[in-house]
Amino acid sequence: MDEAIGHYPAGQKRSASLPLLHLWQEQFGFISDEAVTWIAAKLELEPINILELVTFYPMFRQAPAGRKHLRVCRTLSCAMAGAYPLMEKLAGLTNIEREHQGAGMHNPISVSPDGEYSIEFVECLASCGTAPVCMVDDALYENVAPEMAGALLPPTLSSRAERGTSHATPGVTREILRSAQDDKAGGEITAASSPQALERRLIFQNIGRQGYTTDIDCYLRNGGYEQLRKAITMPRSQIVSEVKSSGLRGRGGAGFPCGVKWSFIKPDEKKPVYLICNADESEPGTFKDRYIIHQDPHQLLEGMLISCFALNVHTAYIYIRGEFPEGAKILERAIEEAHARNLLGRDMLGTGFDVEIYIHRGAGAYICGEETGLIESLEGKRAYPRIKPPYFPAVLGLYMCPTIVNNVETLCHVKHIIAMGGAEYARLGRPNNTGTRIVCVSGDVVRPGYFEIEVGAVTMGQLINEMAGGPKEGRKVKAVIPGGSSAKVLRAGERFKLKDREMTLDEIPMDFDSLAAAGSMAGSGGVIVMDDSRDMLWALNNINEFYAHESCGQCTPCREGSLWMKKITDRMLLGGGVTQDPATLKDVADNIAGKTICAFGEACAWPTQSFLEKFPNEFATRAEKPIPPPLPPEYTPGELIAEDEIAAVSLAHDPGWEKAGAAGTV
């Protein structure tokens, strides 16, 4: 704990709140009242400062879990692949009567009667291409079909389950499943690990490569840190200029030009300047950063060190998802190796430049992907995004100092820009859409996985049909979400007006501007494909549940509206949809978008707006019941006392309001 506190500047001990909570929970299994009081005293805070974190971040528990804890991803790609049947199988095998989500932020944890097991649904685990996925304690398991549930449990229980129930398929063994820790490369299995003809791999040139390991010796043998050695011979302004001339746009979702963001830092800045790597990969459908961290961590460190040198940053942080525990360990080892080679630390490579990189683990909140929410979280607070202006991170960021926040993939590109030169890098891709980017394809395709392409050089049709193998046998593509779950859905069969011509969905180039012109966005590069077997109301309901769960709650339109949208689609799925529901859904979404502090408002509103627009009939057919009867009039206490008789509208009881007429009577 003392070491963790030392990772933050003097006077900023509060930043160690999340690290200390993680350490306590790892040691004792949950965060007790004693823990809250003890950690608060250790950090010279009030207990409420710690309790507010425990109740905000879903990974922290206030009661013991089972001795073996299972987390099943429930977001769209995993749900389409069978996450819900998988959860039911696991509940049956462990004799758990699962609790369902209530009104709180956290999904409830259900514990078996003997205390051996606990299970919970969690939001996206960032391995959508190998769905369905789950975690057993800290180990990630992939491609876990429901019939393989028994293989996640110890042999005694799984074999007993095979004998006593029909849950487990005969012949299923634990060897069928393997975790990230079992893989020699430190990564996971994916169907798309070998490069394809349409790919141009820069960032992913070593991902999935036979014999490539995460240690620094392997990285150095393959030309690692050569670009850092080159960069330290260049003027800082030249490095920034190269990144600017490369045209590199951020790969985290917003697509803001990286060099322009860097240029906001004044060369003669008197305050400390910080760099934060945003490794909080939480957008459903996106799983690119996980592979970089797990299989090529030194590439990320080299990109960060070049960036630190260019921006005169002496302290940098990697804010990594709490659900990436193995990734955090891999990065810690890489940092230790870089320290041992004088690539990091005091007098880096004899330049007289001191720089440190620290790992900071999140705790399960999607809102931390928003840069100012991330900064608040790193400062040891709830991840409530800040208002911009004035809190642009490059001006008032971490500890009110200038701060650059870049995504994992973005920082890796810096290394390749130095290697190629900004002008040469800009020749890749298309104007204003330069370089390569990693797109992740999941859902209803034959070969889900990751693909690194020149931006705009591959069309949607080529990506889905050639690279990802197309839809499954006998099926057709019905809809595509092109940039993670917050991107507006595109419908197969419609025509899009791009520049001076119309084109089909298959013809849209996979670049920032073309997808924006088509009415959606490139976002985080997470392409989710849905075929003609999918119910669009069901898909939207799954997305709505994610955003209702992940809203930080700071802004009223988002806090209330995201939950209302989920409740309405819940009711429609259960057969209670009324004629007004589609219009109400749109009205709620319209009153969220553009009316919140951060872009989460748009993220949760855009799916509802686009699904209703593109698939109106599917919603109309589930909303055919008459509107419910009006409630009785409300009266003041004075009126109730003064009046002898009170008029009231008769309420519908059994057989229920769904059979009421438009007048509100049964």
Side-chain angles (χ1 to χ4, degrees), residues 81-90 93 132 143-152 167-169:
Y84 281 82
L86 172 62
M87 174 60 88
E88 296 309 317
K89 297 272 185 170
L90 287 170
L93 287 169
N143 296 303
V144 190
E147 60 270 19
M148 297 178 180
L152 293 169
H167 284 296
T169 301

Side-chain angles (χ1 to χ4, degrees), residues 224-279:
Y225 291 108
E226 289 180 5
Q227 280 67 53
L228 174 61
R229 294 180 186 277
K230 177 181 176 182
I232 60 177
T233 67
M234 300 165 61
R236 289 192 168 98
S237 59
Q238 185 184 346
I239 300 173
V240 175
S241 179
E242 292 290 345
V243 173
K244 203 169 182 178
S245 64
S246 74
L248 173 67
R249 294 173 65 168
R251 302 302 197 238
F256 190 82
C258 180
V260 174
K261 181 185 281 191
W262 283 19
S263 66
F264 295 154
I265 303 295
K266 295 181 291 187
D268 58 346
E269 179 60 59
K270 301 296 187 293
K271 290 182 178 180
V273 180
Y274 293 98
L275 174 71
I276 303 174
C277 170
N278 185 346

Side-chain angles (χ1 to χ4, degrees), residues 264-342:
F264 295 154
I265 303 295
K266 295 181 291 187
D268 58 346
E269 179 60 59
K270 301 296 187 293
K271 290 182 178 180
V273 180
Y274 293 98
L275 174 71
I276 303 174
C277 170
N278 185 346
D280 191 70
E281 185 175 45
S282 312
E283 178 90 358
T286 312
F287 50 96
K288 57 189 176 67
D289 296 344
R290 170 188 282 280
Y291 288 97
I292 296 169
I293 292 166
H294 274 253
Q295 297 190 33
D296 204 1
H298 282 284
Q299 179 183 198
L300 173 59
L301 293 188
E302 184 171 10
M304 289 186 69
L305 288 169
I306 294 169
S307 305
C308 287
F309 184 78
L311 299 167
N312 199 26
V313 169
H314 298 286
T315 304
Y317 295 96
I318 301 175
Y319 189 104
I320 188 170
R321 285 196 72 181
E323 295 90 341
F324 287 4
E326 183 64 17
K329 292 174 186 174
I330 291 168
L331 285 168
E332 291 279 13
R333 286 196 295 270
I335 289 171
E336 289 174 7
E337 290 175 329
H339 259 292
R341 302 296 181 100
N342 191 222

Side-chain angles (χ1 to χ4, degrees), residues 474-489:
R475 293 295 178 190
K476 297 178 181 177
V477 173
K478 181 177 183 178
V480 178
I481 299 173
S485 64
S486 59
K488 291 187 176 182
V489 68

